[in-house]
C-alpha cells in the first residue's frame, strides 16, 4: 500500500486505487508537483508525469512511480483557507478556471469540446470521425477513417487527437505515416491544432540515440512523436523498444499497407495495436478485395468485431468505420464552394514519330502478335511490360530491354532463350539512338506546358507531371528545363524530381519546395510515390499524366493530389496518348485512354473509381487487366466482367463489398450554427477557443481563452512589458513576447526546424485572431524559405496557454484554497469530485457548491458550480474590499462539507455512470459469444474482458476543496442589489457537469 493510499484512506476520501488526477498537487521527495497525467503500469504502480511547483523544482518535468516513490496526494481535510487580496479576486478566478482547464473531461462526455477552436473550416462532416470515436459505440476510441482521396483525413485525425488530449487520453501519441508525408502531417497538426509532434525519421532516431545513454529507449524521450512506417517497420531493431511503451493514441496513415499478414508492416501494427488505448487507422483504399484480409485490418481495432472473417457485413463494423466520397450528401452540401469542381481529363493525342512507329511495328509483329500469333517471350506478361515501358519513354524501354537481356544471358539454356534474346537485341538497336526529338509525347508535353498551361520563364504557373518509370522521370528532369526556355540557374531550379529511390528527407524537401509560392520550382516530375497522401494542391491545379497507369485506382490517386479539399481552382488533368498507324499496334488508345474515360465516369457518378473492378488494389487491377488482354478482351469487357462477378470465385464477395463501400453512415447530424466569416457571432454561441462564451461541454468561468490569458498575464507577470518585452497590437490581436526559460523548455516538443527558422526561443508571435493566423499560414506557403508560419493560433492546447495555466495553478500555495467575499447568505464551499476507473481515468467529474449548516446538521449541494458563481456575482467586475475573514470556523466545517459532497456523489453515481456502463456491458455480452479455438485467442478474450471491467467506475470519489465563498458582512437580504444566494436542497436531477 502506497503512502497516498494510507493517508488518503484514513481521511475517507479516496478509493483503493492510486488516483492522481491531472491538476492535482502531490508531494514527492519533499517537493510539490503538479500532476499532468497518470496511468497504471504492470509492475511499478501508477506512473505519473508531473511538473515542479515548489521553488527548488519549479517548472521541471519529472516522472514518478507510486510503487517506487512515496507519492502523497494532499488530504482535502487539511486544506488551508487564505484571503485573496488581488483586484476583483482575479487570483481566485484564475485559479478556479485553471483547475477547470486542467481537469480531464470524463469518459462519459461524448460531445466534442474543442471543435470550433482550431484553424479549420466548420464542416460537420469532418467532425464525425471524432464524434464516432468518442461515441462509446466501441470499447475504446478506435476507428478506421476511410474517406476517399482529398476529403481531409488529416484534419479529421487532428480533431480526434485534440479531443482525446482534452480528455486526458492523448498525452503519449505515436503517428506512423509514409516517409514522404512526415513533414506534411507534422505541419498540419501543429499549425491547425497546436499539437506538436517530434519527427523521428531515420536521421532523427540516430541523433537521439547519440544523445541518450546506450540501450535507452528512444521513444521515451518525447511524448508525442511522428515516424515513418518505413523506419519503424524494422521490428527486429525497434520491436523491443515498442514493446516497452504504452501509448494513449496511435495513428497509422495509409493503413491499407498493413493488411498482408506476415509482412513487416503487419507485424508492426500487431505490435502497436494492443499497446495503445486509442487506435486511428486512415486509408482512402482500405480494402484489397479479400474479405478475410480486411477482417485482419478491422481486428487491429477490435478483435471481436468480426466473428467469421470470411462472412460479415458492413453493419458488423459500422462502429469502427466511416467512409464518405465527394458526392456523399453531407460532404456535397457542406462544401458550398470550398472545393472547386474538377475539370475533365483531356486526352492529348500524340501521333508516333517514324522512329517510334518502327518500335510499334516490332512489338506488334514479334512480342504482341494478333490473330492467334505466338509471342517470342516465354513469360506471358513480359511483352506488356515492354509495351508499357515504351509507352512511357524510350529511356524506360532501354532500361527494361537491358535488364531482360542480362537476365536471359545468365540462364543455362541458350537455345531456349536465343529467339527472345535476338528480338531483344533488335529492340535495343531501335531504342538506342532515340532522343527527345524522336518522342511525340515529349514534344506534346512541351507544347502543353508552354502554350496551354503557361509554364515558362516569367510565369508563376505550376504543374505536376506523373510517370510510372524512374528512367522517364530522370530523363524528363534533364531535358525539360531547356525545352521550356529556362537558362542558367533558373534551368537548374525550375524542375524537381521525386521517386521512391530518394531518401525521406529528399522526398519531403521536394513536396515542401513545390508547395511554397516563392520558390522557383515550376514542374514537379514524380512517380507514384506521390500518389498517396501528398498534398500538391497548394500552388498547383494542373496535372499531366506523361504515361497512364493501367489501374483506375492509381489514376484516381494521382488526380487526388491536386483535386482535394482546399483546392481553390478547378483541377485540370491532361494525359499524353501516344497513337500509332502501325497494323496491330497496341497504342495508348487501346488501354490508357479508355481507362481515363472510365475513371472520370466513375468519379462523377459514384464519387470514386476504386470499386469499379472489385479488386481494390492498383497492382491487382493492372494484373487482371493484362490477363484479360491476353485472353483477347477489351478494357471495357475486362472492367465489366469483374463487376458482374463473372470471374469471382466467391459469389458472396461482391454483395459484401457493395454493402461495405456503399453510403456507410451517410446520415449527417444537423449542422450547428457556426461563425465562418470572422464576424462576431450571437452572444452565447461563441466557441471556447477565444471567440466568446464557452462550449456547453466545457465548464468555464471566463468568456474566452483570450480573456483568461490576458488576466493570467497580468497576475503572473504584472510588469510583462518589461519582463517579457510584451507587445500587444490591439487592432490585429497580435501578441509578441520573449518566452521565459520555463516556456522555452516546453517548446522543445516543437519541430526543430520551426524553432530554428522562426527563432521562437527569442520571440514568439501568437494570436487569437483566426484571420491573422490563417493569413500567416498562407503567407508562409508563399515564402521561399519556410512553410512554417511566424504567427500561431492560440488554442486551448497551445504550449503558451498550457504554460500560463500551470503558472496560475502553482501560484496558489500548497493545499491552499482562497476565500472570496461574494453575494451569498452563508459560506459556500466549492468542491471538485472525481470518480475514476481502474486505469485512473475520470469517469464522472462534478463541480459543486456545498453548504454545511451546523445548527441543523444539514448539508446542501448545488452541482453546477459555474452557474452558481455567476449567480453569486463572481466575475471581473466584482469588488475586493480586502476584508479579513477568520478561517477557523470555516476550516472546522471542512469534514462535514466533504462528507456532504461525497454523500451527494454517491446518491447520483449510478445515474451519472449509466451512459458509460451500458456500452461496456453490451461489449461484454458480445465478447461472451466470441469463441476462439486457440490459446492465444482465449488470452485475447480474457484481456479484453479485463479491459472492459477496468473502464467502469470503481471505489469512492476523490474530493478537492477549491475555494470558499463567504458572505459580505456589509450586505443583508433586502439591501439594494441582487438577493443573497442560498443553496437549495440536494439536486434530484443533477446537471451534466
Amino acid at each position: 500500500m502506497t503512502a497516498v493510499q494510507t493517508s488518503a484512506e484514513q481521511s475517507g476520501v479516496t478509493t483503493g486505487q492510486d488516483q492522481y488526477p491531472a491538476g492535482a498537487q502531490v508531494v514527492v521527495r519533499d517537493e510539490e508537483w503538479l500532476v499532468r497525467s497518470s496511468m497504471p503500469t504492470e509492475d511499478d504502480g501508477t506512473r505519473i508525469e508531473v511538473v515542479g511547483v515548489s521553488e527548488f523544482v519549479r517548472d521541471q518535468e519529472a516522472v514518478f512511480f507510486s510503487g517506487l516513490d512515496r507519492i502523497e496526494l494532499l488530504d482535502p481535510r487539511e486544506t488551508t483557507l487564505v484571503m485573496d487580496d488581488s483586484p476583483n479576486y482575479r487570483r481566485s478566478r484564475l485559479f478556479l478556471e485553471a483547475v477547470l482547464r486542467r481537469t480531464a473531461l470524463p469518459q462519459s462526455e461524448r460531445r466534442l469540446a474543442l471543435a470550433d477552436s482550431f484553424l479549420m473550416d466548420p464542416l460537420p462532416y469532418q467532425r464525425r470521425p471524432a464524434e464516432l470515436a468518442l461515441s462509446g459505440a466501441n470499447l475504446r476510441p478506435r476507428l478506421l477513417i476511410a474517406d476517399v482521396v482529398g476529403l481531409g483525413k488529416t484534419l479529421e485525425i487532428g480533431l480526434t487527437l485534440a479531443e482525446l488530449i482534452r480528455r486526458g487520453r492523448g498525452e503519449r501519441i505515436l503517428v506512423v505515416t509514409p516517409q514522404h508525408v512526415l513533414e506534411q502531417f507534422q505541419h498540419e497538426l501543429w499549425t491547425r491544432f497546436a499539437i506538436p509532434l517530434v519527427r523521428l525519421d531515420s536521421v532523427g532516431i540516430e541523433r537521439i540515440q547519440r544523445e541518450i545513454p546506450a540501450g535507452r529507449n528512444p521513444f521515451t524521450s518525447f511524448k508525442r512523436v511522428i515516424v515513418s512506417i518505413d523506419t519503424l517497420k524494422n521490428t527486429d531493431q525497434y520491436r523491443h523498444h515498442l514493446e516497452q511503451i504504452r501509448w494513449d493514441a496511435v495513428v497509422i496513415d495509409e493503413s491499407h499497407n498493413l493488411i498482408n499478414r506476415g509482412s513487416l508492416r503487419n507485424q508492426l501494427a500487431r505490435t502497436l495495436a494492443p499497446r495503445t488505448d486509442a487506435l486511428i487507422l486512415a486509408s482512402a483504399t482500405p480494402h484489397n478485395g479479400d474479405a478475410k484480409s480486411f477482417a485482419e485490418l478491422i481486428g487491429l481495432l477490435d478483435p471481436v468485431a468480426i466473428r467469421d472473417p470470411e462472412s460479415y457485413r458492413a453493419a458488423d463494423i459500422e462502429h469502427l468505420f466511416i467512409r464518405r466520397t465527394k458526392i456523399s450528401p453531407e460532404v456535397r452540401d457542406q462544401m458550398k464552394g470550398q472545393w472547386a469542381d474538377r475539370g475533365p481529363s483531356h486526352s492529348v493525342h500524340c501521333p508516333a514519330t517514324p522512329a517510334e512507329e518502327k518500335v510499334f511495328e516490332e512489338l506488334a509483329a514479334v512480342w504482341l502478335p494478333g490473330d492467334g500469333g505466338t509471342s517470342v517471350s516465354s513469360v506471358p506478361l513480359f511483352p506488356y511490360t515492354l509495351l508499357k515501358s515504351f509507352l512511357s519513354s524510350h529511356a524506360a524501354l532501354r532500361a527494361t530491354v537491358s535488364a531482360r537481356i542480362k537476365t536471359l544471358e545468365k540462364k543455362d539454356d541458350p537455345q531456349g532463350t536465343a529467339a527472345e534474346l535476338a528480338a531483344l537485341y533488335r529492340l535495343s538497336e531501335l531504342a538506342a539512338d532515340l532522343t527527345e526529338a524522336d518522342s511525340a509525347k515529349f514534344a506534346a508535353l512541351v507544347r502543353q506546358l508552354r502554350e496551354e498551361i503557361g509554364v515558362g520563364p516569367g510565369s508563376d504557373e505550376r504543374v505536376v507531371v506523373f510517370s510510372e518509370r524512374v528512367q522517364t522521370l530522370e530523363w524528363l528532369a534533364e531535358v525539360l528545363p531547356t525545352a521550356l526556355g529556362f537558362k542558367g540557374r533558373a534551368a537548374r531550379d525550375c524542375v524537381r524530381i521525386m521517386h521512391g529511390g530518394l531518401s525521406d528527407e529528399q522526398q519531403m524537401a521536394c513536396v515542401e519546395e513545390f508547395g511554397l509560392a516563392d520558390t522557383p520550382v515550376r514542374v514537379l516530375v514524380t512517380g507514384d510515390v506521390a500518389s498517396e497522401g501528398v498534398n500538391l494542391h497548394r500552388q498547383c491545379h494542373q496535372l499531366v499524366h506523361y504515361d497512364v497507369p493501367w489501374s483506375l485506382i492509381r489514376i484516381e490517386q494521382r488526380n487526388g493530389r491536386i483535386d482535394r479539399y482546399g483546392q481553390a481552382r478547378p483541377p485540370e488533368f491532361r494525359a499524353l496518348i501516344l497513337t500509332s498507324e502501325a497494323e496491330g499496334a497496341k497504342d495508348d488508345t487501346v488501354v490508357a485512354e479508355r481507362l481515363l474515360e472510365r475513371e472520370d465516369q466513375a468519379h462523377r457518378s459514384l464519387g470514386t473509381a476504386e470499386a469499379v473492378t472489385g479488386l481494390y488494389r492498383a497492382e491487382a487491377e493492372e494484373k487482371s487487366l493484362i490477363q484479360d488482354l491476353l485472353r483477347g478482351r477489351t478494357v471495357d469487357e475486362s472492367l465489366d466482367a469483374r463487376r458482374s462477378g463473372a470471374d469471382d470465385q466467391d459469389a458472396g464477395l461482391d454483395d459484401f463489398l457493395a454493402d461495405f463501400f456503399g453510403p456507410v453512415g451517410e446520415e449527417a447530424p444537423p449542422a450547428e450554427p457556426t461563425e465562418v466569416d470572422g464576424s462576431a457571432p450571437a452572444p452565447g454561441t461563441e466557441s471556447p477557443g477565444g471567440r466568446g462564451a464557452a462550449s456547453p461541454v466545457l465548464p468555464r468561468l471566463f468568456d474566452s481563452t483570450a480573456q483568461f490569458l490576458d488576466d493570467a498575464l497580468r497576475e503572473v507577470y504584472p510588469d510583462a512589458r518589461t519582463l517579457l518585452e510584451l507587445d500587444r497590437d490591439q487592432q490585429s490581436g497580435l501578441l509578441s513576447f520573449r518566452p521565459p526559460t520555463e516556456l522555452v523548455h516546453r517548446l522543445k516538443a516543437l519541430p526543430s526546424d520551426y524553432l530554428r527558422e522562426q527563432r521562437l526561443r527569442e520571440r514568439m508571435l501568437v494570436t487569437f485572431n483566426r484571420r491573422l493566423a490563417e493569413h500567416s499560414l498562407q503567407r508562409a506557403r508563399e515564402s521561399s524559405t519556410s512553410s512554417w508560419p511566424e504567427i500561431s493560433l492560440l488554442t486551448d492546447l497551445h504550449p503558451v496557454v498550457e504554460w500560463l495555466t500551470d503558472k496560475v495553478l502553482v501560484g496558489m500555495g500548497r493545499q491552499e484554497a482562497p476565500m472570496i467575499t461574494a453575494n451569498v447568505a452563508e459560506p459556500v464551499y466549492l468542491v471538485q469530485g472525481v470518480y475514476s476507473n481502474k486505469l485512473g481515468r475520470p469517469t464522472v467529474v462534478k463541480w459543486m457548491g456545498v453548504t454545511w449548516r451546523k445548527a441543523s446538521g444539514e448539508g446542501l449541494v448545488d452541482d453546477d458550480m459555474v452557474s452558481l458563481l455567476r449567480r453569486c456575482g463572481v466575475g471581473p467586475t466584482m469588488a475586493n474590499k480586502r476584508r479579513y475573514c477568520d478561517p477557523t470556523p470555516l476550516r472546522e466545517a471542512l469534514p462535514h462539507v466533504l462528507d456532504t459532497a461525497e454523500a451527494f456523489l454517491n446518491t447520483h453515481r449510478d445515474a451519472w455512470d449509466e451512459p458509460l456502463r451500458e456500452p461496456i456491458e453490451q461489449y461484454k455480452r458480445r465478447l461472451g459469444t466470441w469463441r476462439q479455438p486457440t490459446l492465444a485467442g482465449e488470452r485475447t478474450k480474457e484481456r479484453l474482458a479485463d479491459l472492459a471491467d477496468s473502464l467502469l467506475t470503481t471505489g469512492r470519489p476523490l474530493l478537492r476543496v477549491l475555494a470558499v465563498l463567504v458572505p459580505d458582512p456589509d450586505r443583508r437580504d433586502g439591501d439594494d442589489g441582487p438577493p443573497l444566494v442560498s443553496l437549495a436542497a440536494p439536486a434530484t436531477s443533477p446537471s451534466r457537469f
Side-chain angles (χ1 to χ4, degrees):
M1 181 175 292
T2 65
V4 62
Q5 291 170 321
T6 303
S7 62
E9 284 178 358
Q10 286 175 350
S11 64
V13 295
T14 189
T15 73
Q17 306 293 326
D18 292 351
Q19 294 190 49
Y20 310 100
Q25 291 190 16
V26 295
V27 177
V28 187
R29 304 178 187 179
D30 202 34
E31 297 291 344
E32 294 172 59
W33 307 84
L34 184 71
V35 177
R36 302 295 299 275
S37 67
S38 67
M39 65 183 302
T41 67
E42 294 181 0
D43 302 319
D44 298 322
T46 299
R47 178 187 190 276
I48 65 168
E49 295 187 7
V50 296
V51 61
V53 172
S54 53
E55 184 175 358
F56 185 69
V57 296
R58 181 158 297 166
D59 295 312
Q60 293 185 24
E61 296 178 346
V63 176
F64 297 114
F65 295 85
S66 64
L68 305 177
D69 279 289
R70 178 186 176 91
I71 303 175
E72 182 182 358
L73 187 63
L74 302 180
D75 184 350
R77 298 170 190 264
E78 301 301 322
T79 301
T80 300
L81 303 180
V82 297
M83 290 297 296
D84 178 1
D85 60 357
S86 64
N88 309 110
Y89 291 100
R90 183 176 63 206
R91 188 178 309 132
S92 297
R93 292 185 295 106
L94 285 168
F95 172 71
L96 292 172
E97 175 77 5
V99 174
L100 289 170
R101 287 174 173 273
R102 271 303 184 198
T103 301
L105 291 177
Q107 290 191 143
S108 55
E109 179 53 78
R110 308 298 190 193
R111 299 170 297 173
L112 301 189
L114 303 174
D116 291 333
S117 62
F118 301 116
L119 205 60
M120 60 184 294
D121 294 323
L123 298 175
Y125 89 83
Q126 290 183 342
R127 301 179 184 183
R128 289 228 292 131
E131 291 169 343
L132 180 57
L134 299 173
S135 67
N138 189 27
L139 192 62
R140 293 171 287 178
R142 293 186 158 219
L143 182 66
L144 168 61
I145 303 177
D147 287 343
V148 299
V149 173
L151 262 65
K153 289 186 288 295
T154 303
L155 296 177
E156 294 167 352
I157 291 169
L159 181 57
T160 304
L161 291 177
E163 291 290 340
L164 290 174
I165 291 171
R166 186 59 185 85
R167 286 158 172 77
R169 304 179 73 171
E171 284 299 305
R172 295 194 58 81
I173 296 173
L174 173 66
V175 176
V176 184
T177 75
Q179 60 185 14
H180 52 277
V181 297
L182 274 178
E183 183 163 316
Q184 174 182 296
F185 206 107
Q186 180 192 34
H187 186 276
E188 288 288 282
L189 259 65
W190 168 251
T191 58
R192 301 288 184 184
F193 302 96
I195 299 176
L197 299 175
V198 176
R199 191 169 75 230
L200 295 184
D201 49 25
S202 55
V203 175
I205 290 182
E206 289 176 5
R207 184 182 66 252
I208 290 173
Q209 288 180 325
R210 288 196 301 267
E211 296 173 354
I212 64 178
R216 176 81 176 269
N217 191 333
F219 300 109
T220 62
S221 299
F222 298 97
K223 295 190 300 182
R224 296 169 184 165
V225 301
I226 182 168
V227 63
S228 82
I229 193 167
D230 302 287
T231 297
L232 207 57
K233 72 181 181 183
N234 187 348
T235 51
D236 289 339
Q237 181 177 356
Y238 297 117
R239 183 190 297 275
H240 67 288
H241 289 315
L242 295 173
E243 289 178 345
Q244 300 304 314
I245 298 288
R246 293 203 65 86
W247 304 94
D248 290 317
V250 168
V251 176
I252 304 180
D253 196 17
E254 305 297 344
S255 55
H256 53 274
N257 294 315
L258 310 176
I259 288 179
N260 297 325
R261 180 180 278 269
S263 68
L264 291 176
R265 288 181 173 88
N266 181 266
Q267 292 175 35
L268 168 64
R270 291 168 67 84
T271 298
L272 292 173
R275 291 171 174 81
T276 181
D277 177 41
L279 178 60
I280 304 172
L281 306 179
S283 173
T285 55
H287 208 291
N288 67 356
D290 178 68
K292 189 172 182 179
S293 294
F294 188 70
E296 169 82 10
L297 188 64
I298 294 298
L300 296 172
L301 300 169
D302 183 359
V304 305
I306 297 174
R307 296 184 184 180
D308 183 355
E310 297 183 351
S311 177
Y312 57 98
R313 315 300 292 179
D316 297 332
I317 59 171
E318 61 184 1
H319 60 297
L320 298 165
F321 169 82
I322 190 165
R323 175 181 176 79
R324 284 78 53 88
T325 72
K326 189 177 179 180
I327 67 170
S328 297
E330 66 172 302
V331 177
R332 183 188 62 239
D333 295 344
Q334 292 167 24
M335 280 298 180
K336 301 185 188 303
Q338 297 182 66
W339 183 352
D341 290 334
R342 65 182 264 182
S345 294
H346 299 288
S347 294
V348 180
H349 281 213
C350 312
T353 64
E356 289 173 326
E357 287 288 23
K358 291 180 181 179
V359 178
F360 270 124
E361 291 169 358
E362 179 71 11
L363 291 173
V366 178
W367 297 90
L368 292 163
D371 299 327
T374 302
S375 172
V376 71
S377 178
S378 60
V379 179
L381 299 183
F382 180 69
Y384 278 98
T385 301
L386 272 180
L387 174 64
K388 290 195 68 186
S389 296
F390 173 58
L391 293 174
S392 180
S393 71
H394 59 276
L397 175 63
R398 282 199 293 260
T400 301
V401 170
S402 177
R404 181 64 176 166
I405 288 174
K406 290 179 181 178
T407 299
L408 293 181
E409 287 179 339
K410 292 178 182 179
K411 288 193 173 182
D412 297 330
D413 183 16
Q415 282 189 325
T417 61
E420 185 173 353
L421 273 171
L424 287 168
Y425 293 143
R426 288 195 300 273
L427 269 181
S428 181
E429 291 174 0
L430 290 172
D433 298 327
L434 293 177
T435 68
E436 58 267 27
D438 300 303
S439 173
K441 289 174 68 172
F442 181 76
L445 175 65
V446 173
R447 285 195 304 272
Q448 290 293 314
L449 294 181
R450 296 193 69 169
E451 299 172 14
E452 300 297 328
I453 299 176
V455 176
S459 170
D460 293 332
E461 201 66 48
R462 299 191 181 197
V463 65
V464 55
V465 178
F466 270 99
S467 172
E468 290 188 306
R469 307 293 171 136
V470 173
Q471 297 81 12
T472 302
L473 296 173
E474 292 174 340
W475 167 65
L476 287 174
E478 179 183 354
V479 299
L480 256 182
T482 301
L484 292 174
F486 291 96
K487 298 178 181 180
R489 182 172 181 178
R492 296 194 301 271
D493 295 339
C494 68
V495 175
R496 288 291 177 268
I497 182 173
M498 180 174 167
H499 54 73
L502 302 180
S503 69
D504 49 358
E505 295 90 349
Q506 291 171 319
Q507 292 183 37
M508 288 186 291
C510 285
V511 173
E512 180 178 18
E513 198 171 0
F514 189 69
L516 296 175
D518 280 354
T519 59
V521 180
R522 292 297 173 264
V523 181
L524 175 66
V525 291
T526 179
D528 287 321
V529 67
S531 67
E532 292 186 354
V534 178
N535 293 335
L536 300 178
H537 68 293
R538 301 298 185 192
Q539 312 296 336
C540 175
H541 71 291
Q542 301 280 359
L543 184 149
V544 176
H545 298 279
Y546 193 82
D547 52 44
V548 178
W550 287 11
S551 159
L552 297 176
I553 289 175
R554 190 69 77 202
I555 295 171
E556 180 175 79
Q557 287 175 334
R558 284 184 178 185
N559 291 347
R561 296 313 98 213
I562 65 168
D563 182 20
R564 54 196 307 107
Y565 172 69
Q567 175 60 269
R569 295 177 290 178
E572 296 184 21
F573 310 101
R574 290 171 173 82
L576 305 181
I577 304 298
L578 186 61
T579 64
S580 172
E581 295 183 355
E583 184 177 353
K586 291 180 171 56
D587 62 12
D588 275 325
T589 62
V590 175
V591 176
E593 189 167 36
R594 190 62 193 133
L595 286 175
L596 288 168
E597 293 170 354
R598 291 294 295 264
E599 187 276 339
D600 190 61
Q601 292 170 6
H603 178 84
R604 297 182 188 283
S605 61
L606 304 174
T608 178
E610 64 186 320
V612 171
T613 65
L615 293 172
Y616 300 96
R617 285 182 302 158
E619 298 81 2
E621 283 190 336
E622 180 175 334
K623 183 177 180 181
S624 174
L625 176 58
I626 292 176
Q627 289 174 337
D628 282 345
L629 292 173
L630 288 169
R631 298 186 187 111
R633 288 177 174 173
T634 66
V635 169
D636 287 315
E637 288 170 344
S638 175
L639 298 180
D640 295 339
R642 289 299 309 173
R643 285 312 303 153
S644 68
D647 294 334
D648 285 347
Q649 296 178 355
D650 184 352
L653 185 59
D654 273 338
D655 288 340
F656 162 72
L657 295 176
D659 193 19
F660 186 85
F661 283 97
V664 178
E666 278 197 349
E667 286 300 321
E672 299 175 2
T674 315
E675 175 223 354
V676 296
D677 61 357
S679 60
T685 65
E686 298 171 344
S687 76
R691 293 186 292 166
S695 156
V697 179
L698 295 173
R700 292 282 175 84
L701 301 184
F702 285 72
D703 287 341
S704 69
T705 301
Q707 278 191 7
F708 170 72
L709 183 138
D710 285 345
D711 273 10
L713 280 173
R714 292 189 185 96
E715 179 65 26
V716 177
Y717 292 99
D719 193 10
R721 289 188 177 276
T722 300
L723 292 175
L724 302 181
E725 300 174 14
L726 177 67
D727 184 37
R728 183 193 307 266
D729 187 326
Q730 297 293 344
Q731 185 173 0
S732 68
L734 177 66
L735 288 174
S736 171
F737 67 98
R738 176 182 53 78
T741 303
E742 63 267 23
L743 177 55
V744 170
H745 182 68
R746 293 177 183 235
L747 298 180
K748 69 178 183 179
L750 297 179
S752 58
D753 51 351
Y754 173 51
L755 287 170
R756 181 181 63 257
E757 291 168 4
Q758 301 300 335
R759 304 174 69 179
L760 295 186
R761 298 180 182 90
E762 301 171 26
R763 179 153 293 273
M764 294 194 72
L765 301 177
V766 294
T767 186
F768 287 104
N769 185 324
R770 287 168 173 268
R771 285 182 173 177
L772 181 59
E774 186 69 54
H775 178 69
S776 178
L777 182 58
Q778 183 61 35
R779 192 168 61 246
R781 295 194 182 113
E782 296 171 355
S783 164
S784 59
T785 57
S786 174
S787 62
W788 296 101
E790 62 176 352
I791 302 171
S792 61
L793 181 69
L794 286 169
T795 74
D796 283 2
L797 306 183
H798 198 285
V800 169
V801 177
E802 292 189 335
W803 159 68
L804 274 174
T805 302
D806 287 347
K807 293 289 286 185
V808 166
L809 284 173
V810 301
M812 199 65 66
R814 179 186 293 191
Q815 210 164 1
E816 289 183 347
M819 296 181 291
I820 306 170
T821 301
N823 188 43
V824 292
E826 54 194 331
V828 177
Y829 297 75
L830 305 182
V831 180
Q832 178 194 45
V834 179
Y835 281 110
S836 298
N837 57 29
K838 291 182 180 179
L839 299 179
R841 300 193 190 110
T843 55
V844 175
V845 177
K846 290 295 165 182
W847 308 93
M848 299 169 284
V850 182
T851 290
W852 170 255
R853 294 173 178 169
K854 182 177 180 179
S856 62
E858 179 185 25
L860 306 176
V861 176
D862 184 318
D863 74 332
D864 188 346
M865 183 183 79
V866 173
S867 175
L868 172 64
L869 286 168
R870 291 197 171 110
R871 297 199 312 272
C872 295
V874 177
T877 61
M878 68 187 303
N880 186 351
K881 301 177 182 178
R882 295 181 174 86
R883 294 202 175 177
Y884 176 76
C885 175
D886 183 6
T888 303
L890 298 175
R891 286 200 62 188
E892 290 174 351
L894 278 177
H896 303 290
V897 167
L898 292 168
D899 288 343
T900 299
E902 183 171 7
F904 172 79
L905 293 172
N906 289 335
T907 299
H908 299 289
R909 168 178 163 170
D910 288 343
W912 289 326
D913 214 22
E914 184 60 30
L916 182 66
R917 185 187 310 112
E918 180 56 29
I920 295 174
E921 294 301 326
Q922 288 180 2
Y923 187 87
K924 290 174 66 176
R925 288 193 292 270
R926 182 152 50 95
L927 187 62
T929 64
W930 188 57
R931 297 287 180 265
Q932 282 294 308
T934 66
L935 178 60
E938 286 303 313
R939 287 175 177 170
T940 297
K941 184 175 180 178
E942 292 175 4
R943 177 176 60 83
L944 292 173
D946 290 342
L947 174 63
D949 288 335
S950 70
L951 298 178
L952 293 166
T953 298
T954 182
R956 297 166 64 184
L958 186 69
L959 301 176
R960 181 180 181 185
V961 179
L962 304 178
V964 183
L965 306 181
V966 296
D968 183 344
D970 296 335
R971 278 290 318 273
R972 296 288 186 274
D973 256 335
D975 293 347
D976 291 340
L980 299 177
V981 175
S982 295
L983 300 193
T988 55
S989 299
S991 72
R992 192 169 179 83
F993 296 125

